Amino acid sequence: MTAPRWAAALLRRLSRATGAEADVLIGDLEEAHRARVARRGAFVATLLTTLETMDIAFMLGRKRIPRLAVSWIDFKLAFRMLLRYPVLTLVGSASLALAIAIGAAAFAFISLFLWPRMPLPDGDEIVLVRHYDRAASQPEWRVVADFLRWRDGTTTLTDLAAGRGRARNLLMGDGLVEPISVAEVTASTFGMARVAPVFGRTLTDADASAAAPPVVVIGERIWRERFGADPDFLGRTVLISDVPTAVVGVMPASFRFPSIYEVWQPLKVNEGAVQPRAGIGIDIWARMKPGVTPEQANAELAVLSAQHAAAWPATHASLVADVQPATRAEVNDPEERTLLASMNGVIALMVLLVSGNVALLMFARAATRESEIVVRTALGASRGRLIGQFVAEALVLSVVAAIAGLAIAQRVMHWGLTTFVLEANDGKLLPFWVTPTLPPMSIAYGVGLAMAATLVTGILPAMKMTSGVSSRLRETTAGGGGLRFGGVWTVLIVAQVAVTATFPAIAFIVKTSAWQSEARQIGVPTDRYLTAELGRASEMTRARFEAAVRRVREDFAATSGIARVALADHLPLMWNGHHVIEVDPGGEGPTDEALVGAHFVKTAAVEPDFFPAFDAQPIAGRLLAQADNADVARVAVVNESFVRNVLGGRNAIGRRLKYRASSNGGLRIPQQQWIEIVGVVRDLGMGADPTDPRGAGVYLPLNLGALTDDAVRIVGLVAGDMTVATNALRAAAAKADAALRIGDVQTLAANTANGVKTINYIVAALGMVSAAALVLALSGLYAVMSFTVSRRTREIGIRVALGSPRSRVVLAILRRPLMQLAFGSVFGALLTVGLSRLMDLTVGFSLGLIAVGPIIFAVCLLACIVPARRALGVDPIAALRAE
Amino acid sequence: MTKTSAAATLAEFELIVLVAAMRLDDDAHAVSIAADISERTGRVVRRANVYTTLQRLEDKGLLTTALGDARPERGGKPRRVVTPTHDGVAAVRATMTAIRAMTHGVKI
């Protein structure tokens, strides 16, 4: 029974033994294995031989790894070397700093969105206690009765608190109404959070009694912005949804518990009348007692759940309780979480790529010190000693880069979150645990990246420089060879060029789709149209809401400088989901591939005044009229895209359509009922995405009583000052009904720009990465070219001396980098197409996109110019004499 | 009291390896040395340790190695035969003397 062949191969490979030495080792392996088989059998012998092989291979292999020897003199020398080559130091440390900054900031962003932590004293102890209905597979929020029992029965949890979020209007003395999010919470919430008020007091149990006067605790930001930081504000009265409420305290700006709230009111519960699984829906929070684990809390809740089920079998049989972290991850989809987490890996790879690039620079510089290294070796310096010196230089560079990188990361974090809130999140606040401070884990991650960079930038060139020094000594004295760039460096440069070409290309593709949205015109000046969303508060009846909306509409229309006011559930160029319809069998265009005999359309419910408001004349038939208003829509107006895409260009008037699917927001759509088309208008930007081929639009009469999402949009053409019009609209809403919610007051142009803003945010981020990648690629190429020229000085001198044309000399030098550039560009194009597919972007063959490749190519060539000029400047006599 | 010689003294495992090599004579190589130690002392011997110890002893000039014949039980591969040098034998003697001197009169 011979020893496994792979064991011999492993031994040979890892021990790095060659020739007779390797034969002896393999012979020993064979002999020992055969003896073992005879004693213990084949299976055990194979197992033991495997372990022994690994043991021997690693021990013998390790022996050959030189031990680093670093002293303080190396650091002193390192500083001097860095000062001696300022450009290299600047480029190298800037590259690493940029990479570390991107790595640490991205890690912080990803951590905030995936693994948020509660920024309160001992915040990790705070948990969300939840009931889950196993039968219905959904959480159960009507848990007031359970809250009261848990509060008295639990031994693992303490400071149980409860609350819910409410949308309210805040009316100040200035007559302007502002929609606000109010957290109705129990007084225990503040004790649980362990955060003291800045002024005044927090809520008390007495505030929650039915007879207590209404009170409110506000956040510091509101106090500063709306109360002008007035120190005498305590006890002042504000109108919260029409109820005069006294302000009793101010909480710090950093406290927005449970997530984005800046106004807190008492949660009023009549404990005597609470029924199991009935009443309002609430969240329950608690602190785990010191030393208690989530598992122990869950175990106790399971017992309590069983007791509840026994006490209330009719309602609690399928309910189970559990505890969860109180912070909510912004991204919950497992696939998206995995994708986001894997971004860390991609970024770490980028840092490695950058490190490789800096290693290239270090190596190129080290090559100029080859003779020094050879001499030092000859004088007895060990390989470990030489490597130690390189590592010291890399460490100094990395430490400088880490400090700068982490400072940049902090700025990026601040800028990124502020910009994200303003640009991509429509100005809405993020949960208060999303703070623009670089968390300690990110700092540790950044330091880790710096250490990895040290190893790559120090050890890679050092190993290369110090390997086979004695043979190189022979070669160089014989007048040939010397150091050369190997395959690893080539791969590095090609990868760099590929990545450099990819980022701008992707940014360009994303930006192109944004431009298409920006450039989209609907024939009217969208920046002159003021829009707002009017929402129904839960305490409003539908009739009250309808009456309030009509009053706002009348008052707004009566304001001077306002014309063409209209109501609609979706306005032009805004996001609009699609519906599936069928048309009568009178001839139609090709149907969507996904649906047989059906079409995707977008639907908007509009007032008759909607069309005049946007200067839309009937192309065929008529527009909607007041008489068309009915409980159920019977007629519709369609747009030109509908005629083209759905009807194949045929006459639309008199044709009928019916909806297959129910509403996805906006108007409740009558299903399976024929609706007659009475008119055709020009395309008015149905939906926000101009590239969506499903832009066919249907306009139905607006019925305020049939809205499914309890909100309608108002639009008006403003002739005068937009600020005056905005205030007039807010005042009209406050006057109509204090409970009416008004939000998103902005121009139609700003409203539609929100989608574009998100894209611009991504493009800006991609642009920054592109610029960084470009700088890195240039520095890498510059290093290679400089190195090539410095190594080939003698050859260039001879070529020039022999009368070789300059163009040929340049070509000889540029051949290798040109090949690398070409390969990099090709891989970059492939990477772009692949990533575009992954990101679901359409790659169009626009001139701009095609231009990205040559532009990158040309810019990279620039990096070759200086070394090429230096090559041509070589004096043949001097070059030959120098050797 | 006996005075120890000027020859180098050995670490415990070095001593054992050298003594095994002396005993095995012409048959002394890594596998047989490991097996001999294992058999006599009852301890588990890592062959990797034997290799490194042999290397160290060779570096100190306490033994020499030479390639032996290729053998069929070794898959046709040669073995590296170990021969203790005079210094090696002297080192064994000196170490043993030191041990005897130190243990004399001590109840173990």
Side-chain angles (χ1 to χ4, degrees), chain A residues 24 27-28 31-32 52 55, chain B residues 29 46-47 51 55 67 74:
Chain A
V24 169
D28 286 352
E31 186 182 339
E52 189 176 53
D55 187 32
Chain B
H29 65 289
R46 286 169 62 198
R47 205 162 79 245
Y51 285 125
Q55 184 64 52
L67 284 182
R74 294 175 54 86

Side-chain angles (χ1 to χ4, degrees), chain A residues 530-543:
Chain A
L530 183 66
T531 72
E533 187 184 83
L534 303 173
R536 185 172 78 91
S538 53
E539 62 264 33
M540 295 175 87
T541 61
R542 286 193 181 278

Side-chain angles (χ1 to χ4, degrees), chain A residues 42-77:
Chain A
F43 179 76
V44 177
T46 304
L47 202 67
L48 292 173
T49 300
T50 303
L51 291 173
E52 189 176 53
T53 305
M54 307 276 274
D55 187 32
I56 293 169
F58 283 119
M59 183 164 275
L60 296 184
R62 192 175 60 196
K63 221 181 76 180
R64 287 159 198 263
I65 296 173
R67 187 170 291 173
L68 289 184
V70 186
S71 71
W72 69 272
I73 297 173
D74 287 320
F75 288 105
K76 198 174 154 189
L77 198 64

Side-chain angles (χ1 to χ4, degrees), chain A residues 531-532 566-576 604 610 614 684-685 687 713-715 748 751:
Chain A
T531 72
L567 297 171
D569 70 340
H570 289 99
L571 290 175
L573 300 175
M574 280 186 187
W575 182 88
N576 195 340
F610 173 85
F614 290 100
L684 285 170
R713 288 180 182 275
I714 187 167
V715 61
L748 188 59
N751 217 330

Side-chain angles (χ1 to χ4, degrees), chain A residues 217-239:
Chain A
V217 172
I218 61 170
E220 195 177 347
R221 188 188 66 87
I222 293 182
W223 173 62
R224 290 190 184 283
E225 290 182 6
R226 299 302 302 269
F227 287 84
D230 180 3
D232 301 323
F233 77 100
L234 279 182
R236 283 258 299 265
T237 300
V238 292
L239 276 181

